[in-house]
Amino acid sequence: MSIEFRNVTKTFGGVCVVEDLSLEVRDGEFIVLLGPSGCGKTTTLRMLAGLETATSGDILINGERVNDVPTQHRDLAMVFQSYALYPHMTIAENIGYPLRVRKIEKADRAARVQRVAAMLEIESLLERKPRQLSGGERQRVALARAIVREPRAYLMDEPLSNLDARLRVQMRGELKRLQHQLGTTTIYVTHDQAEAMTLASRVAVMKKGRLQQFDTPLNIYNHPANKFVAEFVGSPSMNFIDGENATIGIRPEHIQVLTTPEDGAIEARVYVTELMGNETFVFLSVGANRLIARAPADFPADVDTKVWLKLANDKLHFFDPVSGITKGTKQESSEFKL
Amino acid sequence: MYLALVAALVFALAPVYWMLTISFKTEGEQFASPPPWLVFTPTLEHYYDAFVTRAFGQYLLTSAIVAVTSTACALVIGTLAAYALARFELPLKLNRRLSLWILSTRMFPAIVTAVPLFLMMRDVQLLNTRAALIIVYTAFNLPFVVWMMRGFFADLPRDLEEAALVDGDSRLGALVRVVLPLVSPGLAATAVFCLIVSWNEFLFALVLTQTDAAMTLPVGIAGRVTQYEIKWGVMSAAASVAIVPILVFALALQKYLVRGLSMGAVKG
């Protein structure tokens, strides 16, 4: 199913939450809306679900304007951050609810609940109540309720944010596989750039209600449209250095840290190092600037020792110092000084 | 702590005890001085007098019909209104204004409306009917229901209803299948209060009903205070019976009552 936002704006009591958003989602895509809290990503999702009305602009599903179609007739399924399981119903009743509402025969309903439960490995929980389940189990139930019928699209509002780190990574993988299996258009909201990078076929980065960039994860990472996107995507974040007529950005993996001086290398001092196990993050001070570099796990330098940096000149990003918009990646590297 | 409790209990229950004993005493014993506190010859003559000779059985039935019907009406209308006020954004800050306006209808003394109501009921030929009382009690309980239920609805996370809508249910379906089951303790507590108020109501019943067929228990009981004599025995017997239904109902719903009254405080 294709989805389109056409110049959609949403204001809450004079405050503009989503501003002139235009976005086209193709059938079967996994789209992630990424941004910090308050960027309007959840509101965008809720407008698509019909839980909020757009102040202006059009929302189209399969080319048909749905602004005035009530939620229950949009045929979408949504997974809430809180999971929103019905506390007074058993898990089986929870999963079967969308079918019950559609007046599907009891036997047929039970069979479909069973099938979905088997798919998500929650068959043993069917007779329990939501409060008897762990966070991860509730998450699966919420997913099961969404996929028990075949909706036109899945909407997911930070579905993994209430899980612990290990479970989150596991569920992330399962979600991706599930979506691949079902091939249903999915719109996924998160503030976690790692989730966006791993799940999305395309990522829409938002900030203060405005779409910053809408592209594949790789392009977002390698060719950020502006400084905000460059900084938000990638962990640790991109380094920024204020140059004379541009802000220069370089990712931590493109800084090579040497323990001996070399031609053209910049002198720096180790501020602190963080061993991650498979690699080391080296925090450096270069004059007044602070940089982060990635180094091998066995990187030897201690606090306050002198090191030398080599920047990969072809991996530099140049941003307009005022607007933050990318000026390109191929500028004279001699133009900037640290 | 316990002493204070005992004192409060004695204070609260002494009149009930007095009423119960009077209802079983002969008229002679009722006025004996000092009164026989515990030992007396019990008699059922007052109960016989009240419910067989006189029309107290009829009053009891009227009271029950009026209380139950008006409570049911007030709950249905009030719950829907409260849900709308708690969930829908009305223009011109109407949510707040309407709520306050509804509350304000309880701010003046009831007696102010007694005469106008009497005239209105006379004009629509509803004097001395149960319908008149049902209408008045429903109206009287509505603000209470709206305010109680509005609070319960407001405490409920919106996610659940929104999930129901996305799952394909209508607003009303979501209300019936998801919201109401979750506020049932609050609903029960509200129902008990409405029942008690309607059951005990005296003023409007006195003004609007004069005949045995339409009279409720409180009016019937008070009617035994006459110019020439006060029928203590009959009154006590009828009043003792009047306590029973409310007591049974409150006990049956006790589990919900406690939960309902503390619902806002402790999120379950």
Side-chain angles (χ1 to χ4, degrees):
Chain A
M1 182 195 72
S2 69
I3 295 166
E4 191 184 344
F5 288 86
R6 244 184 232 164
N7 308 104
V8 173
T9 295
K10 172 73 184 175
T11 54
F12 280 116
V15 181
C16 195
V17 193
V18 176
E19 201 180 337
D20 197 25
L21 174 74
S22 291
L23 196 74
E24 242 179 290
V25 179
R26 294 188 289 264
D27 185 40
E29 272 194 301
F30 197 128
I31 298 298
V32 173
L33 301 180
L34 174 69
S37 57
C39 74
K41 55 193 191 299
T42 296
T43 307
T44 303
L45 194 75
R46 290 172 56 86
M47 283 194 288
L48 179 57
L51 298 172
E52 306 281 357
T53 48
T55 312
S56 67
D58 299 321
I59 299 170
L60 296 97
I61 297 180
N62 283 339
E64 178 202 351
R65 187 175 182 275
V66 295
N67 287 42
D68 305 314
V69 178
T71 301
Q72 60 265 36
H73 296 136
R74 292 197 187 186
D75 194 19
L76 307 167
M78 186 157 169
V79 179
F80 290 75
Q81 186 174 8
S82 64
Y83 313 140
L85 302 181
Y86 311 123
H88 57 296
M89 297 183 194
T90 64
I91 298 310
E93 287 167 339
N94 260 285
I95 300 173
Y97 187 82
L99 305 177
R100 178 177 152 205
V101 170
R102 285 178 175 71
K103 306 211 163 56
I104 286 169
E105 297 270 334
K106 227 172 184 177
D108 187 17
R109 212 155 79 196
R112 282 168 74 171
V113 168
Q114 199 66 42
R115 199 166 61 222
V116 175
M119 199 166 152
L120 290 168
E121 294 164 22
I122 46 173
E123 293 150 293
S124 59
L125 307 175
L126 286 177
E127 294 315 311
R128 298 209 207 151
K129 289 279 178 72
R131 64 171 170 277
Q132 297 166 295
L133 269 54
S134 71
E137 288 167 341
R138 286 181 203 190
Q139 218 282 327
R140 280 166 191 271
V141 175
L143 266 179
R145 190 174 65 185
I147 62 179
V148 70
R149 63 195 166 99
E150 279 98 50
R152 296 197 286 180
Y154 299 118
L155 315 183
M156 305 195 183
D157 186 5
E158 310 224 6
L160 305 181
S161 63
N162 286 339
L163 302 180
D164 62 58
R166 199 182 59 82
L167 204 53
R168 191 152 58 215
V169 171
Q170 186 200 335
M171 280 310 289
R172 194 167 78 192
E174 291 193 25
L175 260 182
K176 188 169 186 176
R177 205 180 154 75
L178 196 64
Q179 199 267 347
H180 182 79
Q181 252 173 44
L182 301 167
T184 309
T185 313
T186 304
I187 315 270
Y188 185 106
V189 161
T190 184
H191 62 262
D192 181 343
Q193 58 93 23
E195 272 174 28
M197 297 298 282
T198 49
L199 287 171
S201 47
R202 284 194 293 166
V203 181
V205 185
M206 294 179 74
K207 177 199 176 190
K208 291 183 182 161
R210 285 192 151 275
L211 182 64
Q212 306 292 310
Q213 190 172 4
F214 184 37
D215 212 333
T216 61
L218 212 58
N219 278 342
I220 295 253
Y221 191 80
N222 290 331
H223 307 288
N226 57 37
K227 193 180 163 205
F228 173 79
V229 175
E231 191 173 11
F232 199 77
V233 176
S235 174
S237 267
M238 186 185 275
N239 298 293
F240 295 101
I241 305 147
D242 288 325
E244 269 157 33
N245 44 27
T247 301
I248 299 127
I250 183 157
R251 295 212 178 267
E253 59 268 36
H254 298 139
I255 301 178
Q256 201 187 347
V257 189
L258 308 166
T259 45
T260 50
E262 200 173 290
D263 232 20
I266 304 156
E267 197 180 302
R269 204 170 270 282
V270 175
Y271 184 73
V272 76
T273 59
E274 285 182 352
L275 178 64
M276 306 309 289
N278 60 338
E279 60 181 347
T280 302
F281 295 158
V282 189
F283 294 70
L284 305 146
S285 30
V286 187
N289 289 300
R290 283 280 165 78
L291 302 180
I292 304 174
R294 294 183 122 134
D298 56 2
F299 180 74
D302 218 341
V303 170
D304 277 341
T305 50
K306 220 183 243 182
V307 291
W308 288 266
L309 310 179
K310 266 182 95 172
L311 312 188
N313 281 344
D314 56 332
K315 302 285 189 189
L316 295 178
H317 301 264
F318 296 88
F319 306 100
D320 187 287
V322 183
S323 66
I325 292 170
T326 300
K327 291 168 91 178
T329 46
K330 286 187 177 172
Q331 287 209 1
E332 291 287 308
S333 57
S334 59
E335 193 188 309
F336 81 94
K337 288 192 184 76
L338 288 172
Chain B
M1 183 68 185
Y2 281 109
L3 267 179
L5 267 181
V6 169
L9 267 180
V10 168
F11 191 74
L13 292 180
V16 178
Y17 173 76
W18 198 243
M19 176 188 76
L20 273 174
T21 50
I22 282 187
S23 75
F24 290 113
K25 283 176 187 170
T26 60
E27 284 199 6
E29 275 173 327
Q30 282 171 12
F31 297 107
S33 177
W37 291 104
L38 290 167
V39 189
F40 53 88
T41 344
T43 168
L44 284 175
E45 62 171 284
H46 303 306
Y47 286 87
Y48 185 84
D49 194 13
F51 291 96
V52 181
T53 317
R54 297 167 203 270
F56 277 92
Q58 176 85 39
Y59 304 158
L60 191 70
L61 184 68
T62 300
S63 271
I65 290 173
V66 168
V68 169
T69 315
S70 69
T71 299
C73 291
L75 280 182
V76 172
I77 302 170
T79 300
L80 289 173
Y83 183 68
L85 283 173
R87 282 297 188 252
F88 295 108
E89 198 72 45
L90 301 175
L92 304 170
K93 291 184 187 160
L94 268 182
N95 294 60
R96 209 182 127 71
R97 286 180 184 166
L98 271 178
S99 303
L100 281 175
W101 179 65
I102 288 170
L103 186 68
S104 73
T105 60
R106 292 295 294 263
M107 286 178 184
F108 50 82
I111 191 122
V112 173
T113 56
V115 173
L117 272 174
F118 175 82
L119 295 175
M120 282 158 66
M121 290 302 174
R122 188 192 61 189
D123 289 350
V124 292
Q125 313 269 314
L126 281 178
L127 279 185
N128 293 320
T129 62
R130 290 166 182 165
L133 290 181
I134 291 171
I135 292 169
V136 172
Y137 291 176
T138 301
F140 201 70
N141 274 330
L142 259 179
F144 176 74
V145 176
V146 171
W147 271 78
M148 286 282 284
M149 294 314 296
R150 201 180 70 123
F152 293 130
F153 287 138
D155 281 349
L156 214 63
R158 272 167 199 261
D159 279 6
L160 294 174
E161 291 151 77
E162 290 177 346
L165 290 179
V166 177
D167 281 347
D169 214 341
S170 63
R171 267 279 169 194
L172 197 64
L175 178 67
V176 171
R177 277 182 279 266
V178 174
V179 178
L180 284 185
L182 293 173
V183 296
S184 55
L187 207 58
T190 312
V192 171
F193 282 118
C194 289
L195 261 184
I196 292 174
V197 168
S198 308
W199 187 260
N200 291 336
E201 208 285 328
F202 177 72
L203 179 68
F204 292 118
L206 180 69
V207 174
L208 298 175
T209 60
Q210 298 294 327
T211 61
D212 275 350
M215 214 178 263
T216 59
L217 257 186
V219 179
I221 293 170
R224 293 320 107 181
V225 181
T226 63
Q227 208 170 347
Y228 307 105
E229 58 164 0
I230 300 174
K231 284 283 197 185
W232 292 111
V234 174
M235 287 167 66
S236 299
S240 303
V241 173
I243 290 180
V244 174
I246 290 291
L247 207 61
V248 170
F249 190 69
L251 283 177
L253 292 180
Q254 195 183 27
K255 186 179 75 173
Y256 290 105
L257 263 180
V258 177
R259 267 214 294 160
L261 291 176
S262 61
M263 224 162 118
V266 188
K267 288 261 164 78

